[in-house]
Amino acid sequence: MRIVILGSGRGSNAEAVLRAQQASALGAARVAGLLSDVPDAGILALGPRFGVPAAYVDPAPFRTKLEGAGEARFIEAVSAHAPDLVVLAGFMRVLKPGFLGAFAGRIINLHPSLLPSFPGLDAIGQAWRRGVRVTGCTVHRVTPEVDGGPILDQEAVRIEPSDTLETLTSKVHAAEHLLLPRVLARLAGP
Ligand code: GAR
């Protein structure tokens, strides 16, 4: 199962997946490429470290969505890796029908809350401010409804009285680093 990972930030989840692959804990899944819409994103630095092709793809002309020329460039760059699965790991753009159609049924997303609670931006902050006692993270299939597709798996995180937004954020990230490789291994099979 060839995987392409798209991310806009640190890439800690992509790193967790690559580490799982190194440890032979990803079943038949292989990371074929890393792509980012942010030229200096941490996720791109993982390429040379793990021996995986990594590239910035210009997302212009829009700021928060992937449409038009940028969408076409992403479709081409992702297609070049012939992926069985496209993984959004901190890719902070809304996907439109062109990209969704090009990889129909093959796109999954990692989100830092127990969906359907707290979709959208700053999900950890949303949960923190709402005062829930349990939050977590979700991997789901991507559909045109943002953060709304069928749920594949989730990992729960308790919010203790001693937690701060910072410690909660660390706990959710740690849960994500377990969840995403686990889902990929399951989807890939042995
Ligand atoms: C992760 O917490 C992921 O769930 C979140 O971005 C972070 C990326 O971290 N994604 C979203 O909020 C998508 N709506 P990383 O770059 O270290 O993997």
Side-chain angles (χ1 to χ4, degrees), residues 9-14 89-92 109-112 120 124 147 173 176:
R10 288 188 308 157
S12 70
N13 285 284
F91 189 65
M92 304 309 278
N109 180 48
L110 172 67
H111 184 78
I124 301 174
D147 297 329
H173 287 155
E176 290 186 315

Side-chain angles (χ1 to χ4, degrees), residues 104-180:
R106 286 185 282 158
I107 313 174
I108 67 172
N109 180 48
L110 172 67
H111 184 78
S113 75
L114 292 177
L115 290 171
S117 291
F118 312 122
L121 293 175
D122 188 24
I124 301 174
Q126 290 186 56
W128 175 254
R129 288 187 293 276
R130 185 64 184 79
V132 296
R133 300 324 312 167
V134 180
T135 184
C137 49
T138 301
V139 176
H140 65 93
R141 293 200 181 275
V142 174
T143 63
E145 183 192 349
V146 174
D147 297 329
I151 290 169
L152 290 168
D153 203 356
Q154 296 181 307
E155 188 72 28
V157 170
R158 281 201 69 81
I159 302 178
E160 305 294 348
S162 58
D163 272 320
T164 63
L165 178 57
E166 288 67 36
T167 61
L168 175 62
T169 299
S170 299
K171 284 160 70 170
V172 172
H173 287 155
E176 290 186 315
H177 299 163
L178 295 176
L179 176 67
L180 184 58

Side-chain angles (χ1 to χ4, degrees), residues 56-133:
Y56 162 71
V57 180
D58 182 358
F62 299 104
R63 208 172 54 80
T64 60
K65 63 180 177 179
L66 195 61
E67 204 169 19
E71 180 183 57
R73 283 188 289 269
F74 263 88
I75 291 172
E76 191 180 336
V78 172
S79 299
H81 293 294
D84 300 299
L85 195 69
V86 179
V87 176
L88 310 180
F91 189 65
M92 304 309 278
R93 281 176 185 270
V94 175
L95 299 180
K96 294 294 175 179
F99 190 96
L100 295 174
F103 306 103
R106 286 185 282 158
I107 313 174
I108 67 172
N109 180 48
L110 172 67
H111 184 78
S113 75
L114 292 177
L115 290 171
S117 291
F118 312 122
L121 293 175
D122 188 24
I124 301 174
Q126 290 186 56
W128 175 254
R129 288 187 293 276
R130 185 64 184 79
V132 296
R133 300 324 312 167

